Amino acid sequence: MASRVVTVAFQGVEARRVDVEVQLTSGEVRFMLVGLGDKAVAESRERVRAAFAGLGLAMPSRRIIANLAPADLPKEGSHYDLPIALAVMASMGVLPPDALAEWAAMGELSLDGRIVGAAGALPAAVAAGAMGLGLICPEASGAEAAWAGDVRILAAPSLVAVVNHFRGTQVLSPPKPGPMTEGERAPDLRDVKGQEHAKRALEIAAAGGHNLLFTGPPGSGKSMMAARLPGLLPPLSPAELLETSMVHSVAGLIARGELTRTRPFRTPHHSASMAALTGGGLRVKPGEVSLAHNGVLFLDELPEFSAQALDSLRQPLETGEVTVARANAHVRYPARFQLVAAQNPCKCGLGGAGRGACGRAPRCQVDYQMKVSGPFMDRIDLQVDVPPVTAADLALPPPAEGTAEAAARVTAARALQAERAGADGAAFNARAEGDFLEKIAELDPTARALLAKAAEAGGLTARGWTRTLRLARTIADLEGAGPVRRVHVAEALAYRRTGAAPAGVMA
């Protein structure tokens, strides 16, 4: 009769049920592991042998067959060590046959029998709870797994502790959730002198969750302003916190069970590959777009990223998820992020105007900015030119308003969006679409006429029309809701470089 222990296989952030079945049979003394496991899974046999030896247990002198079912589901990682070991123990009679019937297990074994922390404890606990089971996990992962809520968690330091617990000679107390941290304090917007137009665009982007591009020479404050965006954003809601934490759990980024309501702010280097941005690799892991889920992805020196890497972001920018295709599986990760990017006007950085202007302008600017494709740029709602900071700007006293004042307006605008959305609509304007967007826009006749005139002049694609409408709605929300007026549409058009209004339209 086979012993069975439940564990999970990770496909994206989804934890799918896997039954570890172990049977002792007659025949050649071997430890066979089947069920489409990777190299780390195959090596579990040696870790289990060593862990048993550390406990003073001898492997049975029989043919051991361990099957990971379903057999056609790929299994990756070292967290199968613990369920395999427990199933072998149940087959040997070391554990009572029904002791593990109401438990799932995951964890890596060290050679001396300790249970080592493994990535994915939070989604594993959520999946176990959905199956009506508790979860046996490493002690180091207990505080993380405890965030799953009303799920029984058994966080064990070693294999012998698990055996003693089920034999009744030792009681393992359930772990408590890890701390909720505030995260690093974002720098204050008051540090930025001048650049009022760019700071206005940053506030609009924060209020509606819009994508933003700063273009300006080195030292104009592009990266400085982008770093201050997290301070304008409201904290993660409970649902967003769970979604984001599950991605970080699978990536192994949660330490000591610590969660934070601060929105992610990811800043990959421009040498990052497509796999690093969207996810992938030999063992599929979430990329930067997924690690920025419900937060901000900041791409500095935008044209220096490879064209292939940038164009791979077009799908997640529209759909809010990324799919990594493999021959035997398609892995999906959530990737609903806000894109903020910065670029110099040309390769030399100075552009074609003012002191120190590029001698090859405007050809140099065109060649440099053409590295970013038109369809990618069409997905950016606000495209803002950032001029150099002058000596007069630097001599000014600090601005009267900083992050606190701007964040208060952002919070009020997002509260209006949440109230309009209710349970079925988009959480904020950047996600609104279709009939819902037309309903909430409330365009007055002059505003609609201006938008139509800009579209007729060839400055707006169909996507550009929708994104301009969303942007105008956010600008109106920052003023306290009400219908979208002509002035709101005019400002929204001014922020879309490809959708700038033709001569006479902005009047």
Side-chain angles (χ1 to χ4, degrees), residues 7-10 13-16 79 104-106 118-131 133-137 144-145 148 151 153 246 249-250:
T7 186
V8 294
F10 297 109
V13 295
E14 179 188 2
R16 296 185 58 182
H79 66 276
M106 58 91 67
L122 179 56
V126 171
M131 292 184 281
L133 303 174
L135 179 69
I136 306 170
C137 68
E144 176 187 331
V151 181
I153 305 297
M246 288 177 72
S249 175
V250 170

Side-chain angles (χ1 to χ4, degrees), residues 307-401:
Q308 183 186 36
L310 289 182
D311 284 338
S312 70
L313 303 184
R314 285 156 53 179
Q315 180 196 7
L317 281 171
E318 288 294 320
T319 64
E321 68 174 18
V322 62
T323 302
V324 181
R326 288 290 182 268
N328 54 3
H330 284 67
V331 180
R332 288 183 173 84
Y333 287 107
R336 194 169 293 282
F337 59 93
Q338 182 176 357
L339 176 67
V340 178
Q343 66 178 12
N344 296 325
C346 68
K347 187 70 175 178
C348 70
L350 299 175
R355 184 178 180 182
C358 174
R360 294 180 57 239
R363 179 63 182 270
C364 180
Q365 290 174 269
V366 172
D367 290 346
Y368 188 64
Q369 296 184 22
M370 281 296 288
K371 292 182 178 181
V372 183
S373 70
F376 180 88
M377 294 294 287
D378 199 34
R379 288 164 168 82
I380 298 179
D381 302 338
L382 297 103
Q383 301 176 32
V384 182
D385 288 320
V386 183
V389 178
T390 65
D393 290 328
L394 295 175
L396 292 173
E401 286 192 348

